[in-house]
mmCIF file of all heavy atoms in Angstrom:
data_model
loop_
_atom_site.group_PDB
_atom_site.id
_atom_site.type_symbol
_atom_site.label_atom_id
_atom_site.label_comp_id
_atom_site.label_asym_id
_atom_site.label_seq_id
_atom_site.Cartn_x
_atom_site.Cartn_y
_atom_site.Cartn_z
ATOM 1 N N PHE A 1 -6.142 9.117 3.866
ATOM 2 C CA PHE A 1 -6.270 7.929 3.017
ATOM 3 C C PHE A 1 -6.423 8.387 1.570
ATOM 4 O O PHE A 1 -7.513 8.784 1.147
ATOM 5 C CB PHE A 1 -7.473 7.089 3.455
ATOM 6 C CG PHE A 1 -7.416 6.653 4.892
ATOM 7 C CD1 PHE A 1 -8.104 7.352 5.878
ATOM 8 C CD2 PHE A 1 -6.656 5.565 5.265
ATOM 9 C CE1 PHE A 1 -8.054 6.965 7.208
ATOM 10 C CE2 PHE A 1 -6.590 5.162 6.596
ATOM 11 C CZ PHE A 1 -7.286 5.870 7.567
ATOM 12 N N PRO A 2 -5.326 8.352 0.790
ATOM 13 C CA PRO A 2 -5.346 8.862 -0.587
ATOM 14 C C PRO A 2 -6.333 8.096 -1.470
ATOM 15 O O PRO A 2 -6.742 6.973 -1.151
ATOM 16 C CB PRO A 2 -3.904 8.648 -1.054
ATOM 17 C CG PRO A 2 -3.098 8.481 0.186
ATOM 18 C CD PRO A 2 -4.010 7.853 1.188
ATOM 19 N N PRO A 3 -6.726 8.687 -2.614
ATOM 20 C CA PRO A 3 -7.687 8.032 -3.516
ATOM 21 C C PRO A 3 -7.249 6.648 -3.974
ATOM 22 O O PRO A 3 -8.070 5.724 -4.033
ATOM 23 C CB PRO A 3 -7.779 9.011 -4.689
ATOM 24 C CG PRO A 3 -7.443 10.340 -4.102
ATOM 25 C CD PRO A 3 -6.416 10.058 -3.038
ATOM 26 N N LEU A 4 -5.970 6.484 -4.326
ATOM 27 C CA LEU A 4 -5.495 5.173 -4.775
ATOM 28 C C LEU A 4 -5.607 4.152 -3.659
ATOM 29 O O LEU A 4 -5.984 2.993 -3.899
ATOM 30 C CB LEU A 4 -4.044 5.284 -5.257
ATOM 31 C CG LEU A 4 -3.419 3.985 -5.778
ATOM 32 C CD1 LEU A 4 -4.191 3.452 -6.965
ATOM 33 C CD2 LEU A 4 -1.947 4.206 -6.149
ATOM 34 N N TYR A 5 -5.293 4.539 -2.448
ATOM 35 C CA TYR A 5 -5.411 3.652 -1.282
ATOM 36 C C TYR A 5 -6.860 3.205 -1.118
ATOM 37 O O TYR A 5 -7.144 2.011 -0.959
ATOM 38 C CB TYR A 5 -4.922 4.402 -0.048
ATOM 39 C CG TYR A 5 -4.856 3.585 1.219
ATOM 40 C CD1 TYR A 5 -3.663 3.031 1.646
ATOM 41 C CD2 TYR A 5 -5.990 3.386 2.007
ATOM 42 C CE1 TYR A 5 -3.588 2.293 2.821
ATOM 43 C CE2 TYR A 5 -5.926 2.649 3.177
ATOM 44 C CZ TYR A 5 -4.723 2.110 3.583
ATOM 45 O OH TYR A 5 -4.665 1.373 4.746
ATOM 46 N N ARG A 6 -7.778 4.167 -1.183
ATOM 47 C CA ARG A 6 -9.199 3.836 -1.018
ATOM 48 C C ARG A 6 -9.700 2.963 -2.157
ATOM 49 O O ARG A 6 -10.546 2.072 -1.943
ATOM 50 C CB ARG A 6 -10.028 5.122 -0.932
ATOM 51 C CG ARG A 6 -9.663 6.028 0.229
ATOM 52 C CD ARG A 6 -10.757 7.038 0.512
ATOM 53 N NE ARG A 6 -11.107 7.825 -0.651
ATOM 54 C CZ ARG A 6 -10.592 9.018 -0.943
ATOM 55 N NH1 ARG A 6 -9.664 9.538 -0.158
ATOM 56 N NH2 ARG A 6 -10.987 9.680 -2.011
ATOM 57 N N ALA A 7 -9.193 3.190 -3.363
ATOM 58 C CA ALA A 7 -9.622 2.384 -4.501
ATOM 59 C C ALA A 7 -9.194 0.930 -4.335
ATOM 60 O O ALA A 7 -9.952 -0.001 -4.669
ATOM 61 C CB ALA A 7 -9.046 2.959 -5.792
ATOM 62 N N MET A 8 -7.986 0.705 -3.820
ATOM 63 C CA MET A 8 -7.527 -0.667 -3.597
ATOM 64 C C MET A 8 -8.329 -1.332 -2.484
ATOM 65 O O MET A 8 -8.657 -2.530 -2.569
ATOM 66 C CB MET A 8 -6.035 -0.668 -3.254
ATOM 67 C CG MET A 8 -5.135 -0.313 -4.420
ATOM 68 S SD MET A 8 -3.392 -0.557 -4.022
ATOM 69 C CE MET A 8 -2.624 0.018 -5.539
ATOM 70 N N ILE A 9 -8.656 -0.580 -1.443
ATOM 71 C CA ILE A 9 -9.498 -1.128 -0.372
ATOM 72 C C ILE A 9 -10.869 -1.502 -0.925
ATOM 73 O O ILE A 9 -11.417 -2.573 -0.606
ATOM 74 C CB ILE A 9 -9.638 -0.103 0.771
ATOM 75 C CG1 ILE A 9 -8.293 0.100 1.490
ATOM 76 C CG2 ILE A 9 -10.706 -0.548 1.770
ATOM 77 C CD1 ILE A 9 -7.802 -1.090 2.261
ATOM 78 N N ALA A 10 -11.433 -0.641 -1.777
ATOM 79 C CA ALA A 10 -12.737 -0.930 -2.376
ATOM 80 C C ALA A 10 -12.676 -2.176 -3.246
ATOM 81 O O ALA A 10 -13.601 -3.007 -3.240
ATOM 82 C CB ALA A 10 -13.208 0.267 -3.202
ATOM 83 N N ALA A 11 -11.560 -2.348 -3.991
ATOM 84 C CA ALA A 11 -11.411 -3.548 -4.813
ATOM 85 C C ALA A 11 -11.329 -4.798 -3.946
ATOM 86 O O ALA A 11 -11.904 -5.842 -4.286
ATOM 87 C CB ALA A 11 -10.150 -3.423 -5.680
ATOM 88 N N GLY A 12 -10.647 -4.705 -2.818
ATOM 89 C CA GLY A 12 -10.566 -5.845 -1.907
ATOM 90 C C GLY A 12 -11.912 -6.186 -1.292
ATOM 91 O O GLY A 12 -12.244 -7.366 -1.118
ATOM 92 N N GLU A 13 -12.702 -5.159 -0.977
ATOM 93 C CA GLU A 13 -14.033 -5.406 -0.421
ATOM 94 C C GLU A 13 -14.945 -6.057 -1.456
ATOM 95 O O GLU A 13 -15.727 -6.966 -1.133
ATOM 96 C CB GLU A 13 -14.636 -4.086 0.058
ATOM 97 C CG GLU A 13 -13.956 -3.510 1.296
ATOM 98 C CD GLU A 13 -14.525 -2.170 1.703
ATOM 99 O OE1 GLU A 13 -14.639 -1.283 0.833
ATOM 100 O OE2 GLU A 13 -14.872 -1.999 2.887
ATOM 101 N N SER A 14 -14.844 -5.602 -2.702
ATOM 102 C CA SER A 14 -15.707 -6.149 -3.755
ATOM 103 C C SER A 14 -15.383 -7.596 -4.067
ATOM 104 O O SER A 14 -16.277 -8.391 -4.358
ATOM 105 C CB SER A 14 -15.570 -5.298 -5.030
ATOM 106 O OG SER A 14 -15.955 -3.955 -4.797
ATOM 107 N N SER A 15 -14.102 -7.947 -3.989
ATOM 108 C CA SER A 15 -13.685 -9.315 -4.305
ATOM 109 C C SER A 15 -13.651 -10.220 -3.089
ATOM 110 O O SER A 15 -13.381 -11.422 -3.218
ATOM 111 C CB SER A 15 -12.302 -9.295 -4.965
ATOM 112 O OG SER A 15 -11.329 -8.740 -4.081
ATOM 113 N N GLY A 16 -13.904 -9.667 -1.897
ATOM 114 C CA GLY A 16 -13.874 -10.474 -0.684
ATOM 115 C C GLY A 16 -12.485 -10.860 -0.235
ATOM 116 O O GLY A 16 -12.308 -11.833 0.504
ATOM 117 N N THR A 17 -11.493 -10.116 -0.674
ATOM 118 C CA THR A 17 -10.092 -10.427 -0.325
ATOM 119 C C THR A 17 -9.446 -9.258 0.417
ATOM 120 O O THR A 17 -8.278 -8.945 0.185
ATOM 121 C CB THR A 17 -9.282 -10.747 -1.593
ATOM 122 O OG1 THR A 17 -9.357 -9.620 -2.492
ATOM 123 C CG2 THR A 17 -9.824 -11.983 -2.289
ATOM 124 N N LEU A 18 -10.196 -8.602 1.295
ATOM 125 C CA LEU A 18 -9.679 -7.423 1.989
ATOM 126 C C LEU A 18 -8.410 -7.720 2.786
ATOM 127 O O LEU A 18 -7.453 -6.932 2.721
ATOM 128 C CB LEU A 18 -10.757 -6.832 2.894
ATOM 129 C CG LEU A 18 -10.366 -5.537 3.622
ATOM 130 C CD1 LEU A 18 -10.013 -4.445 2.626
ATOM 131 C CD2 LEU A 18 -11.495 -5.086 4.547
ATOM 132 N N PRO A 19 -8.324 -8.828 3.550
ATOM 133 C CA PRO A 19 -7.068 -9.093 4.283
ATOM 134 C C PRO A 19 -5.854 -9.207 3.358
ATOM 135 O O PRO A 19 -4.781 -8.688 3.674
ATOM 136 C CB PRO A 19 -7.357 -10.412 5.009
ATOM 137 C CG PRO A 19 -8.840 -10.441 5.158
ATOM 138 C CD PRO A 19 -9.370 -9.808 3.916
ATOM 139 N N ASP A 20 -6.040 -9.882 2.207
ATOM 140 C CA ASP A 20 -4.921 -10.012 1.260
ATOM 141 C C ASP A 20 -4.543 -8.663 0.661
ATOM 142 O O ASP A 20 -3.358 -8.356 0.496
ATOM 143 C CB ASP A 20 -5.293 -10.985 0.140
ATOM 144 C CG ASP A 20 -5.485 -12.402 0.650
ATOM 145 O OD1 ASP A 20 -4.907 -12.730 1.701
ATOM 146 O OD2 ASP A 20 -6.221 -13.176 0.006
ATOM 147 N N ILE A 21 -5.557 -7.854 0.342
ATOM 148 C CA ILE A 21 -5.287 -6.546 -0.262
ATOM 149 C C ILE A 21 -4.568 -5.637 0.727
ATOM 150 O O ILE A 21 -3.615 -4.939 0.367
ATOM 151 C CB ILE A 21 -6.602 -5.899 -0.743
ATOM 152 C CG1 ILE A 21 -7.234 -6.746 -1.846
ATOM 153 C CG2 ILE A 21 -6.348 -4.481 -1.232
ATOM 154 C CD1 ILE A 21 -6.365 -6.953 -3.045
ATOM 155 N N THR A 22 -5.007 -5.628 1.973
ATOM 156 C CA THR A 22 -4.346 -4.780 2.963
ATOM 157 C C THR A 22 -2.911 -5.241 3.210
ATOM 158 O O THR A 22 -2.028 -4.405 3.458
ATOM 159 C CB THR A 22 -5.124 -4.778 4.289
ATOM 160 O OG1 THR A 22 -5.373 -6.134 4.701
ATOM 161 C CG2 THR A 22 -6.455 -4.065 4.126
ATOM 162 N N GLU A 23 -2.677 -6.541 3.122
ATOM 163 C CA GLU A 23 -1.303 -7.026 3.283
ATOM 164 C C GLU A 23 -0.430 -6.553 2.124
ATOM 165 O O GLU A 23 0.714 -6.114 2.327
ATOM 166 C CB GLU A 23 -1.295 -8.551 3.361
ATOM 167 C CG GLU A 23 0.083 -9.123 3.661
ATOM 168 C CD GLU A 23 0.054 -10.618 3.913
ATOM 169 O OE1 GLU A 23 -1.043 -11.218 3.872
ATOM 170 O OE2 GLU A 23 1.129 -11.192 4.152
ATOM 171 N N ARG A 24 -0.972 -6.624 0.889
ATOM 172 C CA ARG A 24 -0.220 -6.120 -0.270
ATOM 173 C C ARG A 24 -0.001 -4.612 -0.157
ATOM 174 O O ARG A 24 1.063 -4.102 -0.516
ATOM 175 C CB ARG A 24 -0.961 -6.449 -1.567
ATOM 176 C CG ARG A 24 -1.016 -7.933 -1.916
ATOM 177 C CD ARG A 24 -1.486 -8.123 -3.344
ATOM 178 N NE ARG A 24 -1.621 -9.529 -3.687
ATOM 179 C CZ ARG A 24 -2.770 -10.201 -3.699
ATOM 180 N NH1 ARG A 24 -3.894 -9.568 -3.394
ATOM 181 N NH2 ARG A 24 -2.803 -11.466 -4.008
ATOM 182 N N LEU A 25 -1.021 -3.913 0.315
ATOM 183 C CA LEU A 25 -0.889 -2.470 0.489
ATOM 184 C C LEU A 25 0.196 -2.130 1.516
ATOM 185 O O LEU A 25 0.982 -1.200 1.321
ATOM 186 C CB LEU A 25 -2.229 -1.878 0.943
ATOM 187 C CG LEU A 25 -3.123 -1.266 -0.130
ATOM 188 C CD1 LEU A 25 -4.445 -0.812 0.482
ATOM 189 C CD2 LEU A 25 -2.434 -0.092 -0.811
ATOM 190 N N ALA A 26 0.228 -2.888 2.600
ATOM 191 C CA ALA A 26 1.250 -2.664 3.621
ATOM 192 C C ALA A 26 2.644 -2.903 3.044
ATOM 193 O O ALA A 26 3.581 -2.124 3.302
ATOM 194 C CB ALA A 26 1.003 -3.562 4.823
ATOM 195 N N ASP A 27 2.794 -3.978 2.255
ATOM 196 C CA ASP A 27 4.082 -4.244 1.605
ATOM 197 C C ASP A 27 4.468 -3.101 0.673
ATOM 198 O O ASP A 27 5.627 -2.670 0.634
ATOM 199 C CB ASP A 27 4.013 -5.556 0.815
ATOM 200 C CG ASP A 27 3.869 -6.774 1.722
ATOM 201 O OD1 ASP A 27 4.231 -6.681 2.912
ATOM 202 O OD2 ASP A 27 3.371 -7.818 1.242
ATOM 203 N N LEU A 28 3.470 -2.610 -0.094
ATOM 204 C CA LEU A 28 3.730 -1.520 -1.032
ATOM 205 C C LEU A 28 4.186 -0.260 -0.296
ATOM 206 O O LEU A 28 5.175 0.377 -0.675
ATOM 207 C CB LEU A 28 2.468 -1.231 -1.840
ATOM 208 C CG LEU A 28 2.496 0.005 -2.753
ATOM 209 C CD1 LEU A 28 3.534 -0.174 -3.852
ATOM 210 C CD2 LEU A 28 1.117 0.269 -3.362
ATOM 211 N N LEU A 29 3.476 0.106 0.757
ATOM 212 C CA LEU A 29 3.815 1.315 1.506
ATOM 213 C C LEU A 29 5.181 1.196 2.177
ATOM 214 O O LEU A 29 5.947 2.173 2.244
ATOM 215 C CB LEU A 29 2.738 1.599 2.555
ATOM 216 C CG LEU A 29 1.356 1.980 2.002
ATOM 217 C CD1 LEU A 29 0.340 2.062 3.132
ATOM 218 C CD2 LEU A 29 1.417 3.299 1.242
ATOM 219 N N GLU A 30 5.500 0.009 2.681
ATOM 220 C CA GLU A 30 6.797 -0.193 3.318
ATOM 221 C C GLU A 30 7.938 -0.072 2.312
ATOM 222 O O GLU A 30 8.983 0.536 2.594
ATOM 223 C CB GLU A 30 6.835 -1.558 4.003
ATOM 224 C CG GLU A 30 5.989 -1.620 5.274
ATOM 225 C CD GLU A 30 5.869 -3.026 5.831
ATOM 226 O OE1 GLU A 30 6.378 -3.959 5.161
ATOM 227 O OE2 GLU A 30 5.275 -3.205 6.910
ATOM 228 N N ARG A 31 7.744 -0.638 1.112
ATOM 229 C CA ARG A 31 8.780 -0.541 0.086
ATOM 230 C C ARG A 31 8.950 0.900 -0.380
ATOM 231 O O ARG A 31 10.068 1.367 -0.605
ATOM 232 C CB ARG A 31 8.432 -1.441 -1.105
ATOM 233 C CG ARG A 31 8.574 -2.919 -0.822
ATOM 234 C CD ARG A 31 9.978 -3.263 -0.429
ATOM 235 N NE ARG A 31 10.943 -2.948 -1.481
ATOM 236 C CZ ARG A 31 12.257 -2.874 -1.287
ATOM 237 N NH1 ARG A 31 12.753 -3.037 -0.079
ATOM 238 N NH2 ARG A 31 13.071 -2.610 -2.291
ATOM 239 N N GLN A 32 7.829 1.619 -0.527
ATOM 240 C CA GLN A 32 7.917 3.016 -0.932
ATOM 241 C C GLN A 32 8.642 3.855 0.116
ATOM 242 O O GLN A 32 9.460 4.716 -0.223
ATOM 243 C CB GLN A 32 6.512 3.578 -1.185
ATOM 244 C CG GLN A 32 5.854 3.053 -2.449
ATOM 245 C CD GLN A 32 4.485 3.655 -2.682
ATOM 246 O OE1 GLN A 32 3.913 4.302 -1.806
ATOM 247 N NE2 GLN A 32 3.936 3.453 -3.866
ATOM 248 N N ALA A 33 8.338 3.594 1.389
ATOM 249 C CA ALA A 33 9.018 4.321 2.463
ATOM 250 C C ALA A 33 10.512 4.002 2.478
ATOM 251 O O ALA A 33 11.350 4.886 2.705
ATOM 252 C CB ALA A 33 8.382 3.975 3.805
ATOM 253 N N GLU A 34 10.844 2.742 2.217
ATOM 254 C CA GLU A 34 12.247 2.343 2.194
ATOM 255 C C GLU A 34 12.998 3.034 1.056
ATOM 256 O O GLU A 34 14.107 3.542 1.246
ATOM 257 C CB GLU A 34 12.341 0.820 2.046
ATOM 258 C CG GLU A 34 13.753 0.271 2.121
ATOM 259 C CD GLU A 34 13.799 -1.242 2.019
ATOM 260 O OE1 GLU A 34 12.727 -1.876 2.126
ATOM 261 O OE2 GLU A 34 14.899 -1.778 1.819
ATOM 262 N N LEU A 35 12.381 3.066 -0.133
ATOM 263 C CA LEU A 35 13.011 3.731 -1.272
ATOM 264 C C LEU A 35 13.151 5.238 -1.018
ATOM 265 O O LEU A 35 14.173 5.839 -1.352
ATOM 266 C CB LEU A 35 12.190 3.488 -2.542
ATOM 267 C CG LEU A 35 12.248 2.090 -3.142
ATOM 268 C CD1 LEU A 35 11.305 1.983 -4.333
ATOM 269 C CD2 LEU A 35 13.664 1.740 -3.570
ATOM 270 N N ARG A 36 12.098 5.829 -0.447
ATOM 271 C CA ARG A 36 12.144 7.260 -0.157
ATOM 272 C C ARG A 36 13.261 7.572 0.842
ATOM 273 O O ARG A 36 13.991 8.555 0.691
ATOM 274 C CB ARG A 36 10.792 7.709 0.383
ATOM 275 C CG ARG A 36 10.671 9.203 0.615
ATOM 276 C CD ARG A 36 9.223 9.618 0.775
ATOM 277 N NE ARG A 36 8.553 8.827 1.804
ATOM 278 C CZ ARG A 36 7.583 7.948 1.556
ATOM 279 N NH1 ARG A 36 7.163 7.738 0.318
ATOM 280 N NH2 ARG A 36 7.009 7.274 2.534
ATOM 281 N N GLY A 37 13.410 6.721 1.856
ATOM 282 C CA GLY A 37 14.471 6.916 2.833
ATOM 283 C C GLY A 37 15.851 6.787 2.213
ATOM 284 O O GLY A 37 16.772 7.554 2.539
ATOM 285 N N LYS A 38 16.018 5.822 1.302
ATOM 286 C CA LYS A 38 17.313 5.647 0.647
ATOM 287 C C LYS A 38 17.641 6.833 -0.256
ATOM 288 O O LYS A 38 18.803 7.264 -0.327
ATOM 289 C CB LYS A 38 17.317 4.351 -0.161
ATOM 290 C CG LYS A 38 17.355 3.096 0.705
ATOM 291 C CD LYS A 38 17.346 1.840 -0.133
ATOM 292 C CE LYS A 38 17.404 0.598 0.760
ATOM 293 N NZ LYS A 38 17.337 -0.661 -0.031
ATOM 294 N N LEU A 39 16.626 7.363 -0.944
ATOM 295 C CA LEU A 39 16.872 8.524 -1.797
ATOM 296 C C LEU A 39 17.294 9.733 -0.961
ATOM 297 O O LEU A 39 18.252 10.436 -1.305
ATOM 298 C CB LEU A 39 15.608 8.856 -2.592
ATOM 299 C CG LEU A 39 15.690 10.102 -3.484
ATOM 300 C CD1 LEU A 39 16.737 9.904 -4.572
ATOM 301 C CD2 LEU A 39 14.337 10.427 -4.098
ATOM 302 N N ILE A 40 16.596 9.946 0.142
ATOM 303 C CA ILE A 40 16.939 11.068 1.021
ATOM 304 C C ILE A 40 18.350 10.884 1.587
ATOM 305 O O ILE A 40 19.146 11.825 1.642
ATOM 306 C CB ILE A 40 15.906 11.199 2.153
ATOM 307 C CG1 ILE A 40 14.544 11.603 1.570
ATOM 308 C CG2 ILE A 40 16.365 12.227 3.184
ATOM 309 C CD1 ILE A 40 13.430 11.613 2.594
ATOM 310 N N GLY A 41 18.649 9.649 2.009
ATOM 311 C CA GLY A 41 19.980 9.381 2.542
ATOM 312 C C GLY A 41 21.072 9.578 1.497
ATOM 313 O O GLY A 41 22.156 10.097 1.802
ATOM 314 N N THR A 42 20.787 9.179 0.253
ATOM 315 C CA THR A 42 21.773 9.311 -0.813
ATOM 316 C C THR A 42 22.073 10.768 -1.128
ATOM 317 O O THR A 42 23.223 11.141 -1.382
ATOM 318 C CB THR A 42 21.276 8.598 -2.081
ATOM 319 O OG1 THR A 42 21.061 7.207 -1.788
ATOM 320 C CG2 THR A 42 22.282 8.714 -3.211
#
């Protein structure tokens, strides 16, 4: 769990929006994986 990941989780816990933050994090990680896969494929 990288520092940036943990920092976003901590922000979600502090604001009481952990489910929303984890959903945004999941979207972010999926998009990053998709871009990384396209770069490797290219």
